[in-house]
């Protein structure tokens, strides 16, 4: 009886062991499948990471190229701005030179009109050996001489003006003195005339009184 129980228990245990072995085999197969899945996923992840790194590297390269393009664009814009400023400066310079040329032409025409000798001696301007040999003359020295002469002229004008003013003031004082004397004389004349008129009146009264006395 005990033997049968042991045999039955052994058979049950063997059955359980076989079942467990089957489960282990199934689980092992499932584990292998999961390993394959994980390996495939890991492989896909590695590929994706590699692609991501490649994309990031490409983006980095693109950013670098964009930065270089932006920097070059700024250089070109700055150069363009400087070119525009230079163009405007040159246009203003051309306008200024045109105005100066026009002004010089007007001044030359006025000088020719004012000084008749210019037209007759104009052909000698710039010729060597003449008084108009501008190449042999030092402009700086000529300007110094001109400024010196202008200073002397200014000094003479001031002295002449002072002398004229002194003469004018003297004449004005003499005129005022004469006018004062004239007024005094006219006042005295008026007084004398009044005295004469009073004397004439008294004379008439005296004659009248005398005539009355004589005739009464």
């Amino acid at each position: 009886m005990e033997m049968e129980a042991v045999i039955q228990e052994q058979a049950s245990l063997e059955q359980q062991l076989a079942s467990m072995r089957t489960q282990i085999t199934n689980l092992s197969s499932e584990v292998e499948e999961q390993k394959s899945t994980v390996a495939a996923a890991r492989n896909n992840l590695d590929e994706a990471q590699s692609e991501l790194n490649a994309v990031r590297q490409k983006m980095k390269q693109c950013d670098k190229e964009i930065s270089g393009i932006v920097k070059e664009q700024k250089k070109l814009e700055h150069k363009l701005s400087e070119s525009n400023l230079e163009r405007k400066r040159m246009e203003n310079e051309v306008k200024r030179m045109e105005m100066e040329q026009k002004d010089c032409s007007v001044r030359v025409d006025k000088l020719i009109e004012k000084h008749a000798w210019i037209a007759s001696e104009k052909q000698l301007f710039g010729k060597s050996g003449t008084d108009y040999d501008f190449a042999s003359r030092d402009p700086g020295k000529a300007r110094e001489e001109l400024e010196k002469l202008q200073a002397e002229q200014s000094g003479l004008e001031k002295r002449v003006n002072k002398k004229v003013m002194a003469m004018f003031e003297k004449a004005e004082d003499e005129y005022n003195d004469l006018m004062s004397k004239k007024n005094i004389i006219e006042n005295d004349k008026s007084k004398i005339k009044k005295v004469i008129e009073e004397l004439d009146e008294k004379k008439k009264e005296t004659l009248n009184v005398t005539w009355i006395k004589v005739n009464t």
Side-chain angles (χ1 to χ4, degrees):
M1 189 73 177
E2 291 180 1
M3 181 65 72
E4 289 179 0
V6 171
I7 291 171
Q8 287 179 358
E9 186 177 357
Q10 184 179 0
S12 176
L13 289 172
E14 287 178 355
Q15 188 177 1
Q16 290 179 8
L17 180 60
S19 176
M20 290 180 68
R21 285 176 178 171
T22 301
Q23 290 179 6
I24 289 171
T25 300
N26 292 334
L27 288 172
S28 296
S29 298
E30 189 175 347
V31 167
E32 291 299 326
E33 289 178 1
Q34 292 296 328
K35 283 182 178 179
S36 298
T37 302
V38 169
R42 185 172 292 170
N43 187 39
N44 292 334
L45 178 62
D46 290 340
E47 290 180 358
Q49 186 66 41
S50 179
E51 291 179 1
L52 179 61
N53 292 336
V55 170
R56 285 177 176 172
Q57 186 66 26
K58 192 171 183 179
M59 288 178 64
K60 187 176 180 181
Q61 183 65 26
C62 288
D63 289 339
K64 187 177 180 180
E65 291 179 2
I66 290 172
S67 178
I69 291 171
V70 170
K71 189 179 291 185
E72 188 66 23
Q73 181 184 3
K74 288 182 178 179
K75 286 183 180 179
L76 291 173
E77 288 176 351
H78 181 69
K79 191 173 182 180
L80 178 62
S81 178
E82 288 184 345
S83 297
N84 288 331
L85 289 174
E86 182 66 16
R87 179 177 59 82
K88 288 182 180 179
R89 188 189 67 78
M90 292 181 69
E91 288 176 353
N92 292 332
E93 185 68 15
V94 169
K95 289 181 180 179
R96 185 186 66 80
M97 292 177 68
E98 288 176 349
M99 291 179 65
E100 286 184 355
Q101 183 180 6
K102 185 177 180 181
D103 182 60
C104 287
S105 298
V106 172
R107 291 173 65 184
V108 167
D109 291 339
K110 287 183 178 180
L111 286 172
I112 292 174
E113 183 180 353
K114 184 177 180 180
H115 304 287
W117 61 268
I118 294 178
S120 61
E121 299 191 20
K122 185 169 62 175
Q123 69 275 8
L124 300 176
F125 290 175
K127 287 190 176 182
S128 177
T130 66
D131 292 336
Y132 310 105
D133 185 6
F134 305 123
S136 63
R137 296 181 63 86
D138 183 3
K141 187 176 180 180
R143 179 172 291 277
E144 289 179 0
E145 292 177 357
L146 175 62
E147 290 176 353
K148 183 179 178 181
L149 291 173
Q150 287 177 341
E152 291 178 357
Q153 181 182 4
S154 178
L156 288 172
E157 288 177 352
K158 288 180 180 178
R159 287 197 292 272
V160 169
N161 288 337
K162 286 181 179 179
K163 186 175 180 180
V164 170
M165 286 300 297
M167 293 173 65
F168 175 77
E169 289 175 357
K170 183 179 179 181
E172 189 176 21
D173 291 340
E174 290 178 354
Y175 172 78
N176 291 332
D177 185 54
L178 288 173
M179 290 300 296
S180 177
K181 289 179 180 179
K182 178 185 175 186
N183 291 332
I184 292 171
I185 291 171
E186 286 180 349
N187 288 333
D188 291 343
K189 183 179 178 182
S190 177
K191 290 178 181 179
I192 292 170
K193 184 178 179 181
K194 187 176 181 181
V195 169
I196 291 172
E197 288 176 352
E198 289 177 355
L199 290 173
D200 286 341
E201 188 67 27
K202 287 182 179 181
K203 181 180 178 181
K204 287 179 181 179
E205 289 178 359
T206 302
L207 289 173
N208 190 27
V209 170
T210 303
W211 186 81
I212 291 172
K213 286 181 179 182
V214 170
N215 292 314
T216 55

